[in-house]
Protein backbone atom coordinates (compact mmCIF):
# COMPACT_ATOMS: atom_id res chain seq x y z
CA UNK A 1 0.00 0.00 0.00
CA UNK A 2 1.33 3.47 -0.92
CA UNK A 3 1.81 6.27 1.61
CA UNK A 4 -0.98 8.20 -0.12
CA UNK A 5 -3.37 5.28 0.39
CA UNK A 6 -2.30 4.93 4.04
CA UNK A 7 -3.08 8.61 4.63
CA UNK A 8 -6.66 8.22 3.39
CA UNK A 9 -9.29 8.00 6.16
CA UNK A 10 -11.38 4.87 6.35
CA UNK A 11 -15.05 4.90 5.40
CA UNK A 12 -17.92 2.57 6.17
CA UNK A 13 -19.25 3.06 2.64
CA UNK A 14 -17.74 1.09 -0.22
CA UNK A 15 -20.17 2.03 -2.99
CA UNK A 16 -22.34 5.15 -3.13
CA UNK A 17 -24.37 7.19 -5.59
CA UNK A 18 -23.96 10.96 -5.75
CA UNK A 19 -27.04 12.82 -6.99
CA UNK A 20 -26.69 16.47 -7.92
CA UNK A 21 -28.98 18.86 -9.75
CA UNK A 22 -28.20 20.35 -13.12
CA UNK A 23 -28.37 23.77 -11.48
CA UNK A 24 -25.32 22.80 -9.41
CA UNK A 25 -23.25 23.03 -12.59
CA UNK A 26 -24.34 26.59 -13.46
CA UNK A 27 -22.16 28.46 -10.97
CA UNK A 28 -23.25 32.10 -10.99
CA UNK A 29 -24.71 31.81 -14.46
CA UNK A 30 -28.43 31.67 -15.22
CA UNK A 31 -28.11 28.84 -17.70
CA UNK A 32 -25.83 26.08 -18.94
CA UNK A 33 -22.56 24.72 -17.59
CA UNK A 34 -19.91 26.79 -15.82
CA UNK A 35 -16.62 24.92 -16.47
CA UNK A 36 -14.85 26.07 -13.25
CA UNK A 37 -17.84 24.86 -11.20
CA UNK A 38 -17.90 21.52 -13.01
CA UNK A 39 -14.17 21.18 -12.35
CA UNK A 40 -14.63 22.02 -8.64
CA UNK A 41 -17.29 19.32 -8.23
CA UNK A 42 -15.11 16.85 -10.15
CA UNK A 43 -12.28 17.51 -7.69
CA UNK A 44 -14.67 16.86 -4.78
CA UNK A 45 -15.62 13.54 -6.37
CA UNK A 46 -11.94 12.70 -6.90
CA UNK A 47 -11.19 13.07 -3.18
CA UNK A 48 -13.79 10.38 -2.44
CA UNK A 49 -12.62 8.20 -5.32
CA UNK A 50 -9.10 8.41 -3.85
CA UNK A 51 -10.49 6.87 -0.64
CA UNK A 52 -11.26 3.70 -2.60
CA UNK A 53 -15.02 4.30 -2.69
CA UNK A 54 -16.87 3.10 -5.78
CA UNK A 55 -18.94 6.00 -7.13
CA UNK A 56 -22.03 6.28 -9.32
CA UNK A 57 -23.46 9.66 -10.30
CA UNK A 58 -26.77 10.99 -11.54
CA UNK A 59 -26.97 14.62 -12.66
CA UNK A 60 -30.20 16.49 -13.37
CA UNK A 61 -30.77 18.59 -16.46
CA UNK A 62 -32.51 21.66 -15.08
CA UNK A 63 -29.66 23.99 -16.05
CA UNK A 64 -30.45 23.28 -19.71
CA UNK A 65 -34.07 22.12 -19.92
CA UNK A 66 -36.65 20.99 -17.38
CA UNK A 67 -39.43 18.79 -18.71
CA UNK A 68 -42.06 19.93 -16.19
CA UNK A 69 -41.50 23.59 -17.06
CA UNK A 70 -41.75 22.84 -20.77
CA UNK A 71 -44.98 20.96 -20.14
CA UNK A 72 -46.34 23.82 -18.06
CA UNK A 73 -45.72 26.17 -20.99
CA UNK A 74 -47.85 24.06 -23.31
CA UNK A 75 -45.39 21.49 -24.66
CA UNK A 76 -46.58 17.90 -24.76
CA UNK A 77 -45.28 16.27 -21.56
CA UNK A 78 -43.64 13.22 -23.10
CA UNK A 79 -41.66 15.29 -25.59
CA UNK A 80 -40.65 17.75 -22.87
CA UNK A 81 -39.42 14.93 -20.64
CA UNK A 82 -37.34 13.40 -23.44
CA UNK A 83 -35.74 16.81 -24.00
CA UNK A 84 -34.92 16.92 -20.30
CA UNK A 85 -33.31 13.49 -20.55
CA UNK A 86 -31.07 14.72 -23.37
CA UNK A 87 -30.03 17.64 -21.16
CA UNK A 88 -28.82 15.18 -18.53
CA UNK A 89 -26.64 13.48 -21.15
CA UNK A 90 -24.99 16.81 -21.96
CA UNK A 91 -24.27 17.39 -18.26
CA UNK A 92 -22.93 13.85 -17.86
CA UNK A 93 -20.53 14.34 -20.77
CA UNK A 94 -19.33 17.61 -19.25
CA UNK A 95 -18.69 15.94 -15.90
CA UNK A 96 -16.96 13.02 -17.62
CA UNK A 97 -14.58 15.42 -19.35
CA UNK A 98 -13.76 17.12 -16.04
CA UNK A 99 -13.16 13.81 -14.24
CA UNK A 100 -11.01 12.37 -17.00
CA UNK A 101 -8.93 15.56 -16.98
CA UNK A 102 -8.14 14.49 -13.39
CA UNK A 103 -7.06 11.05 -14.68
CA UNK A 104 -10.16 9.23 -13.40
CA UNK A 105 -11.62 6.64 -15.76
CA UNK A 106 -15.29 7.47 -16.24
CA UNK A 107 -18.18 5.96 -18.19
CA UNK A 108 -21.35 7.77 -19.24
CA UNK A 109 -24.15 5.21 -19.34
CA UNK A 110 -27.36 6.33 -21.01
CA UNK A 111 -30.85 4.89 -20.60
CA UNK A 112 -31.51 6.14 -24.16
CA UNK A 113 -29.35 4.48 -26.79
CA UNK A 114 -26.79 6.83 -28.32
CA UNK A 115 -23.77 4.66 -28.97
CA UNK A 116 -21.60 7.42 -30.38
CA UNK A 117 -21.41 9.31 -27.06
CA UNK A 118 -22.42 6.89 -24.27
CA UNK A 119 -22.73 3.25 -23.37
CA UNK A 120 -26.20 1.70 -23.18
CA UNK A 121 -27.36 0.76 -19.70
CA UNK A 122 -26.50 -2.89 -19.01
CA UNK A 123 -26.51 -3.57 -15.29
CA UNK A 124 -23.80 -6.24 -15.15
CA UNK A 125 -21.46 -4.15 -17.31
CA UNK A 126 -22.01 -1.11 -15.09
CA UNK A 127 -21.25 -3.15 -11.97
CA UNK A 128 -18.03 -4.37 -13.58
CA UNK A 129 -16.98 -0.77 -14.31
CA UNK A 130 -17.45 0.06 -10.62
CA UNK A 131 -15.46 -2.97 -9.55
CA UNK A 132 -12.61 -1.76 -11.77
CA UNK A 133 -12.61 1.64 -10.06
CA UNK A 134 -14.36 3.56 -12.84
CA UNK A 135 -16.94 6.21 -12.06
CA UNK A 136 -20.30 5.54 -13.72
CA UNK A 137 -22.45 8.55 -14.62
CA UNK A 138 -26.00 7.40 -15.34
CA UNK A 139 -27.70 9.70 -17.84
CA UNK A 140 -31.12 10.09 -19.49
CA UNK A 141 -33.01 9.30 -16.30
CA UNK A 142 -34.82 5.98 -16.39
CA UNK A 143 -35.33 6.32 -20.14
CA UNK A 144 -39.04 6.92 -19.57
CA UNK A 145 -41.10 10.12 -19.37
CA UNK A 146 -42.96 11.04 -16.18
CA UNK A 147 -40.03 9.92 -14.00
CA UNK A 148 -37.61 12.40 -12.43
CA UNK A 149 -33.85 12.09 -12.11
CA UNK A 150 -34.47 11.63 -8.36
CA UNK A 151 -36.34 8.43 -9.16
CA UNK A 152 -33.62 7.45 -11.64
CA UNK A 153 -30.98 7.97 -8.94
CA UNK A 154 -32.84 5.78 -6.46
CA UNK A 155 -33.45 3.11 -9.10
CA UNK A 156 -29.81 2.99 -10.22
CA UNK A 157 -28.52 3.05 -6.64
CA UNK A 158 -30.74 0.07 -5.86
CA UNK A 159 -29.67 -1.81 -8.99
CA UNK A 160 -25.99 -1.14 -8.31
CA UNK A 161 -26.32 -2.26 -4.66
CA UNK A 162 -25.13 1.14 -3.42
CA UNK A 163 -25.03 1.56 0.34
CA UNK A 164 -26.33 5.14 0.32
CA UNK A 165 -27.40 8.01 -1.91
CA UNK A 166 -25.58 11.30 -1.29
CA UNK A 167 -27.78 14.26 -2.25
CA UNK A 168 -25.54 17.26 -2.93
CA UNK A 169 -27.58 20.46 -2.45
CA UNK A 170 -26.87 24.08 -3.30
CA UNK A 171 -27.02 26.53 -0.41
CA UNK A 172 -28.41 24.12 2.23
CA UNK A 173 -26.60 21.62 4.45
CA UNK A 174 -29.41 19.17 5.10
CA UNK A 175 -33.17 18.80 5.34
CA UNK A 176 -35.15 21.64 6.94
CA UNK A 177 -38.76 21.90 8.04
CA UNK A 178 -39.08 25.01 5.84
CA UNK A 179 -36.94 26.89 3.36
CA UNK A 180 -33.95 28.26 5.34
CA UNK A 181 -33.31 30.85 2.63
CA UNK A 182 -36.60 32.60 3.39
CA UNK A 183 -37.31 31.55 7.00
CA UNK A 184 -34.78 32.47 9.69
CA UNK A 185 -36.45 30.07 12.14
CA UNK A 186 -36.12 27.03 9.87
CA UNK A 187 -35.11 23.90 11.78
CA UNK A 188 -32.57 21.45 10.39
CA UNK A 189 -33.03 17.75 11.01
CA UNK A 190 -30.03 15.59 11.90
CA UNK A 191 -32.04 12.57 10.89
CA UNK A 192 -35.56 11.99 9.61
CA UNK A 193 -37.54 8.97 8.45
CA UNK A 194 -38.84 8.33 4.94
CA UNK A 195 -42.41 8.47 6.25
CA UNK A 196 -41.79 11.86 7.91
CA UNK A 197 -40.41 13.22 4.62
CA UNK A 198 -43.60 12.12 2.88
CA UNK A 199 -46.09 13.16 5.57
CA UNK A 200 -44.46 16.56 6.22
CA UNK A 201 -43.83 17.22 2.51
CA UNK A 202 -40.15 17.90 3.16
CA UNK A 203 -38.29 18.78 -0.02
CA UNK A 204 -35.73 16.03 -0.37
CA UNK A 205 -36.83 13.97 -3.38
CA UNK A 206 -40.15 13.44 -5.09
CA UNK A 207 -42.55 10.99 -3.46
CA UNK A 208 -41.88 8.15 -5.89
CA UNK A 209 -38.14 8.31 -5.23
CA UNK A 210 -38.62 8.42 -1.45
CA UNK A 211 -40.98 5.45 -1.56
CA UNK A 212 -38.50 3.46 -3.66
CA UNK A 213 -35.66 4.30 -1.24
CA UNK A 214 -37.85 3.27 1.71
CA UNK A 215 -38.84 -0.01 0.08
CA UNK A 216 -35.18 -0.86 -0.51
CA UNK A 217 -33.96 0.48 2.85
CA UNK A 218 -31.57 2.84 1.05
CA UNK A 219 -30.42 5.74 3.25
CA UNK A 220 -30.27 9.25 1.81
CA UNK A 221 -27.59 11.63 3.03
CA UNK A 222 -28.36 15.27 2.27
CA UNK A 223 -25.44 17.70 2.45
CA UNK A 224 -24.15 20.96 1.02
CA UNK A 225 -22.30 20.74 -2.25
CA UNK A 226 -20.93 24.26 -1.59
CA UNK A 227 -18.80 23.18 1.38
CA UNK A 228 -15.25 22.33 0.21
CA UNK A 229 -14.40 18.79 1.25
CA UNK A 230 -17.95 18.14 2.39
CA UNK A 231 -18.51 14.97 0.39
CA UNK A 232 -15.23 13.43 1.56
CA UNK A 233 -15.73 14.66 5.12
CA UNK A 234 -19.07 12.90 5.55
CA UNK A 235 -17.60 9.65 4.29
CA UNK A 236 -14.84 10.09 6.88
CA UNK A 237 -17.42 10.57 9.65
CA UNK A 238 -17.37 14.39 9.81
CA UNK A 239 -19.39 17.34 8.59
CA UNK A 240 -23.00 18.52 8.72
CA UNK A 241 -25.75 16.60 6.98
CA UNK A 242 -29.18 15.02 7.36
CA UNK A 243 -29.70 11.29 7.01
CA UNK A 244 -33.06 9.98 5.82
CA UNK A 245 -33.69 6.40 6.88
CA UNK A 246 -36.35 3.89 7.89
Amino acid sequence: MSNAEQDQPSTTYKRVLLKISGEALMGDQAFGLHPPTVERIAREVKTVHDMGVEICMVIGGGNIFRGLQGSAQGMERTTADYMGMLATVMNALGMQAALEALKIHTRVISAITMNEVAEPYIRRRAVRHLEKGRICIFAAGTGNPYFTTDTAATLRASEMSCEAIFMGKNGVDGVYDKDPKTHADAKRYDDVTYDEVLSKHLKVMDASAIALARDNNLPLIVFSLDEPGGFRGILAGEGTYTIVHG
Side-chain angles (χ1 to χ4, degrees):
M1 181 181 294
S2 69
N3 290 335
E5 289 174 322
Q6 290 176 336
D7 290 340
Q8 293 295 342
S10 62
T11 172
T12 56
Y13 295 107
K14 299 303 180 186
R15 181 180 296 173
V16 302
L17 186 142
L18 174 63
K19 167 65 170 67
I20 61 177
S21 67
E23 288 87 349
L25 306 183
M26 292 193 306
D28 295 330
Q29 302 174 156
F31 177 84
L33 285 87
H34 182 237
T37 299
V38 177
E39 180 183 352
R40 178 183 64 79
I41 294 173
R43 290 188 181 279
E44 293 284 321
V45 173
K46 181 181 185 300
T47 63
V48 173
H49 182 266
D50 289 346
M51 296 170 71
V53 178
E54 296 172 359
I55 303 171
C56 311
M57 295 183 69
V58 170
I59 307 172
N63 56 319
I64 299 172
F65 188 87
R66 187 179 291 277
L68 275 175
Q69 289 180 352
S71 178
Q73 294 172 8
M75 184 177 292
E76 193 270 326
R77 172 66 187 272
T78 301
T79 299
D81 278 356
Y82 278 123
M83 291 174 67
M85 291 179 214
L86 296 178
T88 71
V89 177
M90 295 172 68
N91 285 338
L93 292 173
M95 182 58 66
Q96 179 185 42
L99 287 167
E100 295 203 331
L102 299 174
K103 309 301 182 186
I104 300 174
H105 295 296
T106 308
R107 297 291 186 271
V108 172
I109 301 174
S110 174
I112 297 175
T113 304
M114 46 184 77
N115 292 330
E116 289 76 11
V117 298
E119 291 186 7
Y121 176 70
I122 300 172
R123 178 185 171 276
R124 290 174 64 89
R125 181 187 292 176
V127 169
R128 187 65 178 139
H129 286 320
L130 293 173
E131 291 171 347
K132 290 183 175 180
R134 299 164 183 160
I135 290 178
C136 290
I137 307 176
F138 296 111
T142 67
N144 302 286
Y146 296 94
F147 289 93
T148 66
T149 51
D150 283 347
T151 302
T154 310
L155 175 64
R156 295 295 184 239
S158 300
E159 290 178 304
M160 294 296 106
S161 300
C162 291
E163 295 161 338
I165 296 176
F166 281 71
M167 298 281 296
K169 296 288 188 179
N170 292 5
V172 291
D173 56 0
V175 179
Y176 287 78
D177 61 348
K178 60 187 79 171
D179 188 349
K181 297 177 184 177
T182 55
H183 296 84
D185 61 342
K187 171 191 171 185
R188 188 182 66 80
Y189 296 94
D190 287 328
D191 63 90
V192 64
T193 67
Y194 306 113
D195 289 337
E196 285 177 312
V197 168
L198 292 171
S199 64
K200 295 179 180 179
H201 303 287
L202 302 177
K203 296 188 176 182
V204 181
M205 284 180 157
D206 65 79
S208 296
I210 290 292
L212 183 58
R214 179 188 61 193
D215 292 347
N216 289 281
N217 197 28
L218 186 62
L220 312 175
I221 296 171
V222 185
F223 70 104
S224 173
L225 202 61
D226 302 323
E227 184 68 28
F231 186 23
R232 179 180 183 275
I234 294 169
L235 281 155
E238 306 165 356
T240 301
Y241 57 91
T242 299
I243 183 166
V244 183
H245 56 85

